Amino acid sequence: MEKRKLGFWEIWNMSFGFLGIQFGFALQNANTSRIFDTLGAEVDKIGLYWLAAPLTGLIIQPIVGYFSDRTWTKLGRRRPYFLAGAILSSIALIFMPNSPTLWIAIGTLWIMDSSINISMEPFRAFVGDNLSEKQRTLGFAMQSFFIGLGAVVGSALPYVFTNWFNIENTAPEGIVPPSVKWSFYVGGLVFVLAVIWTVVKSKEYSPEELEAFENSKNEKLKTSDNSIEDGCTEKRQFTIGLILSIIGLILSYFVHDINTKSENSHKELYILSVGILITGVLFALVSQLRKRKVRNGFTIIITDLLNMPKTMKQLAWVQFFSWFALFAMWIYTTKAVTGHVFGTNDTTSKVYNDAADWVSVMFTVYNGVAAAVAFLLPVLARRTSNKFTHMLALIAGGVGLISVYFLSDKVGLLLAMIGVGIAWASILSIPYAMLSGSLPSSKMGYYMGVFNFFIVIPQIVAGTILGFLVNTFFNDEPIYALIIGGLSMILAGLLTLTVTTNKKIDIND
C-alpha cells in the first residue's frame, strides 16, 4: 500500500495556507523593530524585546507537534492547529500596531509569534503525512513559493500604502504610522482566509491509513515508550543534564559579574545562562522519572530531544548559524539602514520613515527572489547535490548581508538582498527535504517541532548577545550586527558539507 500521487493543484491547495502564514510573519519581521523603536526602545535592548516570541516557541513547538501526531478530529490531524493558530494570529496582527506602550507591544508579539508557530509547524508535518518521499521535495518547494510570495506582498505593504494610496507614513512621537497599521489589518485578514482555504480544500490520511503505509514498507511501528528504551539511557541523560546545569551555573556567575562591574545593564544575558541551567535540570529530572518507570508526554518529549536521528543533529548546526544570521538581519536592518546608510535616528523625521519604508522594500526583494528561485534550487541540487546547493545559497546570503556596510544608495541595498533571497529560498526547503526521509512517520510532527528548536535557539542567542556585542564592542552601531550575521551564514554554508546524506533532491515528474 502506497500513498496516492497528488496532482499539482492538490499540492497547491495543501500549501496555500503558507501564503497567509508568511504574510503575517513578514509583517512581523519587517515592522516589529520599527514599532518598538517608535514606542521608545533602546537600540541595545531591541534584541531582548524580540525574545518573548522565540522563548514561547521553544516550548510550544514540540508540544504542538507531539499532540498533532496524536490528534484525530472531523477536521483531521493537522488542520485543527492550522485554523486555531490562524484565528489567534489574525487577532494579534490587528492589535499589534495599536499597542499603547512598549511592554504591551512585546506581549502582543509573544502572542502573535506563538500563534503563527501553532499554524506553521504542523504544515511541515502535513507534507510528510500526505506526500510520498518522491513528492516531498515538490511539497516543500511549493511551500517555499508561497512563503516568498506572501512575504513579498506583506513586506511591501507599508511602502505601497504610502506611495500608491497616499496613506501617511509618519505620526506623532509614540504613535505607529497609519501605513503600518493598515498593513497589519490587511495581513490579519489574508492570514485567516488563506489558512481556511487549505483547511477546506485539503484532506488527510487517517492514523490507520498512515500505519498501513508504514507496515507496507515492512517497518515496525515504534511506540513512544520504545523510543525511550531504545534511545538515550537514563544514565547518559542524567550526565548530560548535570553537565548542562554546571555550565548554566558558571555562565550565570559570569553574567552576574558583568552586570556588577559594567555601567550598562545586560540582564538579557541571564536568559541564555539560566536557559541552559533549566534545560540541564529538566534532563536530570526526567532521567530520574524514567528510572521510576514514569512514562507520559513530559518524559517522552524531553527524552526524545536526545534521540534525534544523526542527519537531524548535523543539520542542527547548519540551521543554528543560518537562523542566527536571519535574526540579526530582522532585528537590526532598520536601525542599520536608517543610521549607517541614511544617517538619521530621529523616528519622527521623514528621512527616517522613508528609510524604514525602504527596508520593507528590501525585505520584499529578498522574499521575491526566494519565490522566484524556489523551484530552481532543486534543479541545481539534482545536477550537483543538496549539500553543495545549500552551501552556495548560504554563502550568497552571507555576502549580501556583509555588503550592506559598504553601500550608500537604495539600488545597492536591493542588490544586496538578492543573495539573501537565494539563501532564504534554500533555508526554507532543502534542509527539510534532507531531514524528512530520516524521520519516523509516527513522530513526524514532534520532530518537525523539535527541528524548529534550531530556529528558535539561535534567535534566543542572537537576542541575548548581539545587543551586548553592539553596545560593548561596536559603539552601539547596529551595522556590525549585520556583518556578524553575514559571517555566521557563511559558516553555516561550510557546515552543510558535514551533513551525512547521499540523497539528492529529486524532481517530481
Side-chain angles (χ1 to χ4, degrees):
M1 184 177 180
E2 295 183 358
K3 292 178 183 177
R4 182 175 65 87
K5 181 179 179 181
L6 300 187
F8 178 86
W9 292 110
E10 290 177 296
I11 299 176
W12 173 284
N13 288 335
M14 65 180 283
S15 303
F16 191 78
F18 247 110
L19 176 70
I21 291 173
Q22 195 59 31
F23 212 99
F25 198 50
L27 285 167
Q28 172 185 298
N29 291 339
N31 296 283
T32 294
S33 289
R34 180 179 185 176
I35 292 172
F36 287 170
D37 208 11
T38 299
L39 295 174
E42 299 175 16
V43 63
D44 63 324
K45 302 301 180 187
I46 290 179
L48 173 63
Y49 300 148
W50 270 77
L51 283 180
L55 281 172
T56 306
L58 195 64
I59 300 170
I60 286 177
Q61 288 147 6
I63 294 175
V64 169
Y66 175 84
F67 283 107
S68 72
D69 285 337
R70 291 157 174 78
T71 294
W72 187 253
T73 68
K74 290 182 179 180
L75 281 178
R77 190 184 194 188
R78 314 292 183 185
R79 287 178 293 169
Y81 296 90
F82 303 164
L83 187 58
I87 294 171
L88 292 173
S89 298
S90 297
I91 294 171
L93 281 165
I94 292 170
F95 188 79
M96 179 71 173
N98 294 294
S99 301
T101 66
L102 177 61
W103 289 108
I104 291 178
I106 294 169
T108 305
L109 173 64
W110 168 67
I111 296 171
M112 181 166 61
D113 195 83
S114 300
S115 303
I116 289 174
N117 277 301
I118 291 173
S119 285
M120 184 182 294
E121 290 317 306
F123 257 101
R124 298 294 190 189
F126 200 40
V127 171
D129 290 343
N130 284 9
L131 298 178
S132 65
E133 289 190 19
K134 291 182 179 180
Q135 286 196 301
R136 283 177 185 171
T137 298
L138 178 61
F140 288 122
M142 187 71 78
Q143 286 187 355
S144 296
F145 170 76
F146 280 120
I147 287 171
L149 181 62
V152 165
V153 183
S155 298
L157 274 184
Y159 181 87
V160 168
F161 277 132
T162 297
N163 292 275
W164 295 6
F165 298 99
N166 297 318
I167 296 177
E168 289 293 326
N169 70 342
T170 59
E173 185 175 356
I175 303 296
V176 175
S179 61
V180 176
K181 288 185 177 182
W182 278 104
S183 299
F184 275 73
Y185 300 157
V186 172
L189 180 63
V190 172
F191 196 136
V192 73
L193 291 179
V195 170
I196 288 175
W197 179 275
T198 289
V199 170
V200 173
K201 292 290 186 178
S202 298
K203 296 181 179 180
E204 296 184 68
Y205 289 113
S206 68
E208 292 77 18
E209 289 173 313
L210 290 173
E211 182 176 355
F213 294 136
E214 288 290 300
N215 291 336
S216 69
K217 297 178 183 179
N218 296 318
E219 294 178 358
K220 184 179 179 181
L221 187 64
K222 296 182 178 181
T223 66
S224 298
D225 286 352
N226 285 338
S227 71
I228 289 179
E229 296 299 338
D230 295 341
C232 181
T233 64
E234 291 94 338
K235 182 178 179 180
R236 179 169 177 266
Q237 188 175 30
F238 180 80
T239 301
I240 293 173
L242 183 61
I243 292 172
L244 288 177
S245 298
I246 293 172
I247 292 173
L249 285 171
I250 293 173
L251 288 177
S252 296
Y253 170 79
F254 281 112
V255 171
H256 175 73
D257 190 55
I258 289 172
N259 280 285
T260 301
K261 296 178 179 179
S262 175
E263 294 181 2
N264 297 313
S265 174
H266 293 288
K267 291 184 173 59
E268 67 272 14
L269 295 175
Y270 280 117
I271 296 175
L272 184 60
S273 64
V274 174
I276 294 173
L277 173 61
I278 291 173
T279 302
V281 171
L282 287 176
F283 280 148
L285 172 63
V286 169
S287 71
Q288 300 308 302
L289 291 175
R290 288 174 60 199
K291 279 186 176 182
R292 291 167 174 77
K293 306 302 180 182
V294 175
R295 298 290 183 266
N296 54 37
F298 174 66
T299 60
I300 292 168
I301 288 172
I302 298 299
T303 301
D304 274 355
L305 292 174
L306 302 174
N307 291 335
M308 293 183 294
K310 182 179 180 180
T311 298
M312 187 173 175
K313 292 178 181 178
Q314 294 169 329
L315 280 170
W317 291 105
V318 177
Q319 291 289 88
F320 178 91
F321 289 106
S322 300
W323 285 89
F324 182 92
L326 289 170
F327 204 57
M329 178 182 71
W330 291 331
I331 295 173
Y332 289 104
T333 297
T334 298
K335 276 287 191 181
V337 169
T338 56
H340 180 75
V341 180
F342 291 94
T344 181
N345 292 306
D346 181 2
T347 60
T348 63
S349 70
K350 183 168 177 56
V351 173
Y352 175 93
N353 283 285
D354 285 344
D357 281 349
W358 197 250
V359 172
S360 295
V361 178
M362 292 167 61
F363 282 22
T364 300
V365 168
Y366 90 71
N367 283 296
V369 170
V373 304
F375 297 107
L376 297 179
L377 289 177
V379 176
L380 176 60
R382 188 182 188 185
R383 294 179 180 274
T384 55
S385 71
N386 46 19
K387 293 192 291 186
F388 181 77
T389 300
H390 198 47
M391 179 194 70
L392 287 182
L394 292 178
I395 290 175
V399 171
L401 285 178
I402 293 171
S403 68
V404 174
Y405 178 85
F406 303 98
L407 299 171
S408 59
D409 63 278
K410 290 183 174 181
V411 175
L413 291 171
L414 298 186
L415 293 176
M417 292 295 102
I418 293 176
V420 175
I422 294 171
W424 182 229
S426 189
I427 289 168
L428 293 173
S429 57
I430 290 183
Y432 293 97
M434 294 168 71
L435 175 68
S436 60
S438 68
L439 299 180
S441 63
S442 61
K443 294 193 175 186
M444 184 73 69
Y446 169 75
Y447 274 124
M448 283 295 182
V450 170
F451 196 54
N452 207 59
F453 277 17
F454 311 114
I455 296 174
V456 172
I457 291 173
Q459 293 180 27
I460 294 172
V461 174
T464 53
I465 72 170
L466 278 176
F468 170 75
L469 293 175
V470 168
N471 175 261
T472 304
F473 300 106
F474 300 113
N475 196 31
D476 279 337
E477 295 186 36
I479 186 63
Y480 290 100
L482 297 191
I483 294 176
I484 294 170
L487 294 173
S488 177
M489 192 169 284
I490 291 172
L491 176 59
L494 298 176
L495 287 173
T496 303
L497 299 179
T498 67
V499 178
T500 304
T501 174
N502 294 321
K503 291 185 178 181
K504 292 187 177 182
I505 300 296
D506 295 324
I507 305 299
N508 180 61
D509 295 329

